[in-house]
Amino acid sequence: MDLPIKISKDSREPIYHQIVNQFKALIAGGHLARGTPLPSIRALSKDLEISIITTRRAYQDLEVQGFIKTLQGKGTFVADISEDLKEEVKVTSVHNILENAVETALSYDYTLEQVKAIFLEILQAKEKGDS
Amino acid sequence: MDPLLYIENLEKDVDDFHLGPVNLTIEPGTITALIGNNGSGKSTLLKLIMNLAQPEMGNIKVNNLLVHGNNESWKKLIAYQPQTIIGWDPFTGNALKEMIAPLYPNWDETLFQKMVDLFNIPLHKKFGKLSQGVQQKLNLALTIPRNTPLLILDEPTSYMDIPSKKILIDLLVDWMEAGDRSIIIASHQIDDIRKLSDYLFVLHDGEVIGHFEKEELMERYARYWISEPLPEAPIPGEVSREGNVLLSENPEATESYLEANNTRWNNRSSLEMDDVITLLLNTTTTL
């Protein structure tokens, strides 16, 4: 199975962490429904060009957090997660993306006031586009 | 779990070439790429594991059995594909299979047939009449289906076409799904290393450079684009610099130095696998 998971080797975020977060987003966003079989650790390692040590760590993390479950001899599947947890993941992922955008702006020497102005500009454009 | 393969203080002299000391442990369920320059001792190491050469020093154990001892039952635990095979030329693929399959209790006839189909191997032709690429394909089809706990491949794809190399990678990924099998693959193919390996065992002119977990190795290096002037003297972690690009083999040390000196970097990127291997095998090269 091909999954829309892309890891960035240049990122400061550890690779296993990137995998965990992208799986969570796919599951919370409903792109991976409950019961969907996931690739084996070896197959995902090949696709992402990483070692099974990293992939196993990501799967273990996801399992501990309740997003996936492993059935002995059958494979790994998307778990049944609560609406609360889905909501939490969505909020966190939007928060993280906005935070990253602000960090990028600051690294280009923008002031917080300027960032705020850009952000409002984008919101206004959206409002106009929707009406 | 007990290691599948355990190598301790192994040393070997061949004329004026010296290999070792080699210490290496292979755990079940892992793929290790054996990397080295030409003549670095990769094939010699594999021959020593197969007891095809005698070491000057050290021990090799497969499943806790010494390979240089009297008990040869460890041979059933390893399938080994050497670079060149002597004695197969007069036999057809069919004849070779009839000789080899009965020796291995776990021989997988379905996998053999699947490989023959995927690689389009003519089994009725004599081995010696096949092209080098087809010889490698037949050799693989006669090796992988032995389904031994340890599979050792010595540059298995050097003559194979690109689609066949991809097929082999997928076959090996499938083969590993059994869970407790391991592969050691000596290879110069960057795709084998990227897509298959968990660990890299690196040799240079007979000397062990290191045994690395793939991501750990990749994280050891980083490239920085720095717009501000740098001091003339090398800074911590520096391997080389060219214009405003700095290459570091210790990103943590480099970054803490740059931060302490209020030097900012515009961009940071990781290296490609082939660059990392080039650095490991030739420390005088600049990238």
Side-chain angles (χ1 to χ4, degrees):
Chain A
M1 177 175 54
D2 273 336
L3 291 169
I5 288 185
K6 260 192 118 95
I7 53 174
S8 161
K9 289 179 179 165
D10 294 334
S11 168
R12 282 170 163 274
E13 188 185 5
I15 290 172
Y16 86 92
H17 211 252
Q18 297 181 35
I19 300 171
V20 167
N21 282 341
Q22 292 185 41
F23 264 112
K24 279 181 172 178
L26 288 170
I27 294 168
H31 302 289
L32 285 175
R34 171 168 64 108
T36 308
L38 297 181
S40 72
I41 289 174
R42 174 60 67 190
L44 186 60
S45 302
K46 180 214 137 192
D47 289 343
L48 300 180
E49 301 187 347
I50 56 178
S51 76
I52 56 156
I53 297 105
T54 304
T55 310
R56 187 180 294 132
R57 188 163 172 202
Y59 271 24
Q60 278 167 352
D61 247 40
L62 285 162
E63 182 138 24
V64 168
Q65 294 183 50
F67 286 86
I68 64 173
K69 55 174 185 253
T70 302
L71 300 177
Q72 210 57 47
K74 286 187 179 160
T76 305
F77 301 88
V78 175
D80 193 7
I81 64 165
S82 68
E83 287 306 315
D84 286 355
L85 189 53
K86 280 188 189 172
E87 209 46 51
E88 195 186 309
V89 171
K90 287 182 194 169
V91 171
T92 314
S93 75
V94 171
H95 184 98
N96 287 346
I97 289 167
L98 291 178
E99 194 169 17
N100 281 341
V102 173
E103 290 292 339
T104 305
L106 293 179
S107 79
Y108 294 146
D109 289 336
Y110 282 86
T111 65
L112 285 175
E113 277 308 312
Q114 287 170 312
V115 176
K116 205 182 276 174
I118 295 170
F119 187 62
L120 286 175
E121 210 173 281
I122 294 169
L123 288 183
Q124 277 158 8
K126 280 278 167 207
E127 276 166 4
K128 274 184 200 151
D130 287 343
S131 60
Chain B
M1 262 192 281
D2 277 339
L4 198 50
L5 175 69
Y6 177 77
I7 299 178
E8 183 186 38
N9 296 325
L10 189 74
E11 299 199 44
K12 171 73 181 168
D13 291 311
V14 186
D15 302 326
D16 59 351
F17 172 79
H18 180 79
L19 171 69
V22 175
N23 289 284
L24 173 64
T25 304
I26 301 289
E27 305 290 344
T30 60
I31 302 180
T32 303
L34 183 54
I35 314 287
N37 55 319
N38 300 122
S40 59
K42 300 186 294 292
S43 296
T44 305
L45 175 59
L46 299 181
K47 282 180 192 152
L48 287 165
I49 295 172
M50 294 311 294
N51 200 20
L52 298 169
Q54 294 297 315
E56 261 64 52
M57 295 254 296
N59 285 319
I60 303 174
K61 286 181 190 168
V62 175
N63 249 16
N64 258 328
L65 285 168
L66 277 170
V67 303
H68 303 105
N70 291 325
N71 184 340
E72 291 205 320
S73 61
W74 59 269
K75 282 192 174 170
K76 295 246 182 267
L77 304 174
I78 307 183
Y80 164 62
Q81 172 171 358
Q83 274 185 54
T84 42
I85 294 199
I86 298 160
W88 280 15
D89 281 2
F91 300 102
T92 66
N94 279 321
L96 289 166
K97 197 211 55 180
E98 292 312 317
M99 287 188 264
I100 290 166
L103 301 176
Y104 294 88
N106 295 324
W107 176 262
D108 187 341
E109 184 64 23
T110 313
L111 177 57
F112 173 75
Q113 289 301 338
K114 182 179 165 188
M115 291 181 69
V116 167
D117 290 346
L118 283 172
F119 288 141
N120 220 344
I121 306 169
L123 289 177
H124 59 278
K125 280 195 185 168
K126 285 184 178 161
F127 189 80
K129 299 283 179 202
L130 302 171
S131 75
Q132 284 170 309
V134 180
Q135 284 186 348
Q136 284 190 322
K137 291 172 183 175
L138 176 56
N139 202 343
L140 284 163
L142 291 168
T143 306
I144 300 171
R146 296 177 194 180
N147 279 359
T148 52
L150 181 59
L151 175 63
I152 297 181
L153 304 172
D154 193 356
E155 293 185 36
T157 63
S158 46
Y159 295 106
M160 273 161 54
D161 53 55
I162 290 169
S164 304
K165 285 177 187 169
K166 286 196 186 300
I167 291 172
L168 178 66
I169 287 176
D170 287 335
L171 281 167
L172 291 176
V173 165
D174 269 356
W175 188 81
M176 287 297 287
E177 294 296 351
D180 46 6
R181 297 172 178 166
S182 295
I183 301 175
I184 300 175
I185 177 169
S187 178
H188 298 295
Q189 311 291 328
I190 208 75
D191 254 7
D192 293 349
I193 302 163
R194 280 205 196 114
K195 292 183 194 295
L196 286 174
S197 71
D198 304 311
Y199 297 96
L200 281 77
F201 190 72
V202 184
L203 290 171
H204 181 255
D205 292 344
E207 197 184 323
V208 177
I209 302 291
H211 189 199
F212 309 99
E213 195 261 308
K214 187 163 53 181
E215 275 77 68
E216 264 173 30
L217 177 63
M218 298 307 287
E219 284 163 11
R220 284 179 171 221
Y221 299 92
R223 236 191 222 112
Y224 298 89
W225 277 260
I226 299 167
S227 48
E228 295 164 52
L230 286 169
E232 291 276 327
I235 68 169
E238 175 172 341
V239 178
S240 65
R241 64 175 93 166
E242 219 168 304
N244 60 343
V245 183
L246 180 80
L247 177 62
S248 166
E249 59 182 358
N250 189 342
E252 214 176 308
T254 301
E255 285 177 26
S256 63
Y257 172 88
L258 292 174
E259 276 163 8
N261 288 276
N262 258 327
T263 308
R264 302 220 311 208
W265 58 93
N266 302 326
N267 202 344
R268 167 200 152 117
S269 76
S270 59
L271 267 61
E272 292 295 326
M273 177 67 81
D274 44 359
D275 289 339
V276 170
I277 290 170
T278 304
L279 280 169
L280 286 175
L281 295 185
N282 187 356
T283 44
T284 58
T285 307
T286 51
L287 294 172

